[in-house]
Amino acid sequence: MFVPNAEAAALRQGDRGEQVQWIQERLEDLGYEVGEADGVFGEETRQAVIQFQLSRGLDADGVVGAGTLYALQQRQAAVEVSRGFGRRGAQIVQMAQQYMGTPYVWGGSSPGGFDCSGFIYYIYGQFGISLPRMSDGQFEVGRAISGDNLLPGDLVFFSTYEPGASHSGIYLGDGQFISATSSRGVLVTSMDDSYWGSRYIGASRVL
């Protein structure tokens, strides 16, 4: 089986060839959508590389350098989950990011405006996954996941204006999550943010 040389030049959008096709096939095997594994490094492949990099804590620049290539060549335990969970998780993350900047609307659960739990409710609903409408109800479903085992697509919960789960988001990887915030609408934030980090109460996997 062909395996790219980690010492070769970095691969990026616009490149072509056997190494690119291997990367595309490997990404597909791990559950990331690349369009067609045709050996052409296009925009879909770049987005898949970025999602993979986020999930592995790498610089999400969409360029396959030595570090990203090495990670692609590894067969970690978490990767084995990805044939089912990872593909769906990557799709959910990609859809959620399409709504960056959508305004906050109290009680909103449509692209015209979301509140935090409405955003979760809508995104997962597009994949046929029925969840409770409110954050506290969402917190009760699925399987509890420790912070060390978070994967893109997991739900993360925070206690904000009242005790218990009062804010929910979607984990993106690389210590980041996306959610609908009352101050700035849908945006990406670090789990270690001074506000959110102190209010994090747990995570669940519903995929």
Side-chain angles (χ1 to χ4, degrees):
M1 180 186 69
F2 172 78
V3 178
N5 182 351
E7 296 180 359
L11 296 167
R12 52 178 47 84
Q13 189 169 358
D15 288 338
R16 298 167 177 259
E18 192 174 24
Q19 292 194 74
V20 173
Q21 185 173 4
W22 182 91
I23 289 165
Q24 291 172 322
E25 291 173 350
R26 181 62 176 147
L27 285 166
E28 284 191 335
D29 187 49
L30 298 177
Y32 298 91
E33 298 288 345
V34 300
E36 183 178 353
D38 55 3
V40 179
F41 200 133
E43 176 61 19
E44 286 183 283
T45 298
R46 189 180 77 88
Q47 290 298 325
V49 169
I50 288 173
Q51 294 305 318
F52 173 78
Q53 290 170 326
L54 284 169
S55 74
R56 297 298 186 272
L58 301 166
D59 289 338
D61 56 7
V63 176
V64 181
T68 298
L69 184 57
Y70 177 79
L72 281 167
Q73 292 171 346
Q74 303 311 298
R75 292 188 176 275
Q76 304 167 346
V79 166
E80 299 308 315
V81 179
S82 67
R83 286 185 180 274
F85 171 81
R87 180 178 295 274
R88 184 65 64 87
Q91 292 171 340
I92 284 174
V93 163
Q94 288 171 357
M95 174 173 281
Q97 291 178 316
Q98 293 176 11
Y99 295 99
M100 288 278 291
T102 299
Y104 182 89
V105 174
W106 179 264
S109 57
S110 72
F114 297 108
D115 64 15
C116 65
S117 56
F119 181 56
I120 303 295
Y121 180 83
Y122 175 81
I123 294 296
Y124 277 79
Q126 302 312 296
F127 293 89
I129 301 171
S130 179
L131 294 176
R133 174 61 181 80
M134 304 301 291
S135 294
D136 54 356
Q138 294 170 356
F139 187 52
E140 298 299 323
V141 301
R143 180 163 60 92
I145 298 296
S146 71
D148 293 336
N149 293 315
L150 283 168
L151 290 173
D154 284 335
L155 298 179
V156 290
F157 298 92
F158 307 82
S159 179
T160 55
Y161 62 88
E162 63 181 9
S166 52
H167 186 84
S168 51
I170 300 171
Y171 186 68
L172 300 178
D174 196 27
Q176 296 183 316
F177 72 100
I178 187 169
S179 68
T181 66
S182 59
S183 59
R184 298 173 58 190
V186 177
L187 82 165
V188 174
T189 315
S190 170
M191 297 283 290
D192 295 326
D193 176 87
S194 59
Y195 178 82
W196 296 110
S198 63
R199 290 168 172 79
Y200 174 70
I201 60 172
S204 67
R205 183 167 297 160
V206 298
L207 299 180

